Amino acid sequence: AQSVTQPDIHITVSEGASLELRCNYSYGATPYLFWYVQSPGQGLQLLLKYFSGDTLVQGIKGFEAEFKRSQSSFNLRKPSVHWSDAAEYFCAVGSRTSGTYKYIFGTGTRLKVLA
Amino acid sequence: DTGVSQDPRHKITKRGQNVTFRCDPISEHNRLYWYRQTLGQGPEFLTYFQNEAQLEKSRLLSDRFSAERPKGSFSTLEIQRTEQGDSAMYLCASSRTGTEGNYGYTFGSGTRLTVV
């Protein structure tokens, strides 16, 4: 069965430090992979996506992610974190079954940024 | 294009009452999805519409839940005889056929339901 694992529930970094959020997936075929960000009480905003081609993808707000098929991973990175990046981050895999395009989400990683 | 709109943003209801939420998708999007997000969890798929047809329902969607999209535009999600376990954020998302893998869904801001 398809699944997404985000092993880190909480991460705390200092402003200006680099960031890496981990995501591992289980999927039978080439996956469509996404990272979303959710601020408190808000919906989800798409940061970036991967579906084919270059395995290093760039997103909004200075984020990037690298697809590694051999490790079944799609980790999110940012070289220098800003206080406004504090939020919850969700990794998702797009699963197409019976014509329905569903997303399977991980449980999220809550990012805290220290001033 | 104002994005995906959900109404209300917050709803507090007493156990046993019925509630209805509304979602207005992006106008040119023919697909509409409902997800539920409980505290500390990622969103979970509830149901999916293509135009006015409800094509799939999750096992999470008990008989107390019903969703409609009568004219292929806005959608409503009704919960009858609410239970405390229904407390969650209900997220609506929309997309255009063939673009989900390329562009992802567009999510609304959600309706947070609290059952007391």
Side-chain angles (χ1 to χ4, degrees):
Chain A
Q2 299 98 351
S3 66
V4 175
T5 302
Q6 294 181 248
D8 303 305
I9 298 174
H10 298 278
I11 282 187
T12 301
V13 299
S14 298
E15 191 170 20
S18 63
L19 172 70
E20 182 169 27
L21 303 182
R22 295 184 290 165
C23 172
N24 293 95
Y25 67 89
S26 172
Y27 191 70
T30 301
Y32 290 176
L33 293 161
F34 305 87
W35 274 98
Y36 282 85
V37 61
Q38 185 177 38
S39 297
Q42 301 298 312
L44 290 94
Q45 181 183 22
L46 179 66
L47 283 176
L48 47 77
K49 65 199 182 300
Y50 169 80
F51 63 97
S52 68
D54 193 345
T55 56
L56 184 63
V57 293
Q58 302 296 321
I60 62 171
K61 304 185 180 186
F63 285 93
E64 67 177 27
E66 186 170 13
F67 171 60
K68 292 186 177 179
R69 184 189 302 276
S70 61
Q71 297 176 19
S72 297
S73 69
F74 189 57
N75 294 348
L76 181 71
R77 300 193 295 246
K78 187 170 185 178
S80 178
V81 169
H82 188 263
W83 63 266
S84 61
D85 293 324
E88 190 146 24
Y89 292 79
F90 292 95
C91 181
V93 61
S95 167
R96 185 171 182 177
T97 57
S98 305
T100 305
Y101 216 103
K102 290 183 281 196
Y103 289 0
I104 298 166
F105 285 87
T107 51
T109 297
R110 183 169 296 279
L111 174 65
K112 183 176 179 180
V113 180
L114 300 176
Chain B
D1 178 6
T2 57
V4 178
S5 298
Q6 291 190 246
D7 183 70
R9 292 292 307 276
H10 303 275
K11 178 71 176 178
I12 300 174
T13 191
K14 292 183 179 179
R15 189 176 55 183
Q17 297 294 305
N18 299 345
V19 294
T20 301
F21 311 140
R22 176 178 171 126
C23 171
D24 287 89
I26 292 173
S27 57
E28 64 265 29
H29 285 185
N30 61 331
R31 290 183 170 177
L32 187 146
Y33 304 80
W34 286 98
Y35 280 74
R36 181 173 70 185
Q37 184 180 18
T38 53
L39 205 60
Q41 300 297 316
E44 296 173 291
F45 172 81
L46 290 180
T47 190
Y48 151 67
F49 290 85
Q50 179 156 309
N51 301 312
E52 66 274 11
Q54 187 175 19
L55 297 185
E56 185 169 346
K57 293 193 293 185
S58 161
R59 280 174 285 182
L60 292 175
L61 218 61
S62 75
D63 292 345
R64 298 183 297 104
F65 288 71
S66 63
E68 294 183 342
R69 194 182 183 197
K71 297 183 180 179
S73 57
F74 72 92
S75 175
T76 58
L77 178 67
E78 180 183 16
I79 309 174
Q80 296 182 326
R81 305 181 303 281
T82 52
E83 302 172 355
Q84 286 189 320
D86 298 330
S87 296
M89 173 82 90
Y90 290 84
L91 293 162
C92 177
S94 69
S95 68
R96 197 170 68 234
T97 304
T99 66
E100 294 89 347
N102 293 359
Y103 303 110
Y105 298 160
T106 301
F107 279 90
S109 296
T111 293
R112 180 166 296 285
L113 172 67
T114 303
V115 181
V116 296

